[in-house]
Amino acid sequence: MMNPTRAALALLCAAALTCLSACAQPADAPATKEQEADSAALTVSNARVVLPPVAGNPAAVYFDLSYSGTPGVTLQDVSVEGAGMTMIHDYAEEAGTMRMVMADSVPLGGDAPVSFAPGGLHVMAMEPSDALQAGGTAKVTLTLSNGAVTVVEAPVRAAGDER
Ligand SMILES: [Cu+2]
């Protein structure tokens, strides 16, 4: 179950998105050799989509990333088929309480894996549709700052499942 603090944060999260709807999507363009190489350099493991306890609230997406491509590249955007717009969030301590904050882009590389996990970095996917059902899968698309795109099939979990 989602604890009350987390539920409150999820609500804040939903409220925060109204002013951010102008989020730019990368244009569709043919992949260059470098982008293809960088897609190959990104390994996405343990991806999962966790549905909200209350219908209409954002779903959360977690995964582990390791990256061995061009230095200086960041994770720019994550989209979830069957959900609305997404935001990359992190938690930060502010005046003694943990608050959810925007993480616009996440640096990759340096052989250091990046983990999106409960209580830390996560993707919030707004307005998850009925297409996202616990026990099913969802297509999750990760776009890097150089345009490289990686798509993974992530299992969809119910709110009460292990996150
Ligand atoms: Cu969030």
Side-chain angles (χ1 to χ4, degrees):
M1 278 296 290
M2 202 182 235
N3 67 40
T5 310
R6 185 175 288 275
L9 286 170
L11 282 176
L12 277 177
C13 209
L17 85 114
T18 34
C19 49
L20 293 158
S21 51
C23 179
Q25 288 290 332
D28 279 331
T32 64
K33 283 245 156 58
E34 191 181 70
Q35 287 168 354
E36 277 167 21
D38 263 9
S39 302
L42 180 70
T43 305
V44 183
S45 55
N46 196 24
R48 66 268 193 207
V49 175
V50 181
L51 295 175
V54 177
N57 280 1
V61 188
Y62 306 112
F63 39 69
D64 297 321
L65 303 178
S66 71
Y67 179 74
S68 58
T70 320
V73 167
T74 61
L75 175 66
Q76 191 96 346
D77 183 68
V78 179
S79 66
V80 180
E81 194 176 72
M85 72 161 285
T86 57
M87 290 190 286
I88 299 174
H89 282 164
D90 201 352
Y91 283 94
E93 193 175 324
E94 202 175 273
T97 48
M98 293 301 277
R99 291 200 46 186
M100 191 137 57
V101 294
M102 295 293 291
D104 287 328
S105 62
V106 178
L108 301 171
D111 294 327
V114 176
S115 190
F116 278 59
L121 281 166
H122 59 281
V123 177
M124 307 239 69
M126 306 307 156
E127 296 164 5
S129 74
D130 291 344
L132 298 176
Q133 292 288 341
T137 61
K139 194 181 284 185
V140 176
T141 303
L142 295 89
T143 305
L144 305 187
S145 54
N146 64 356
V149 170
T150 304
V151 181
V152 295
E153 279 297 323
V156 178
R157 299 183 184 170
D161 289 357
E162 191 196 337
R163 299 173 79 85

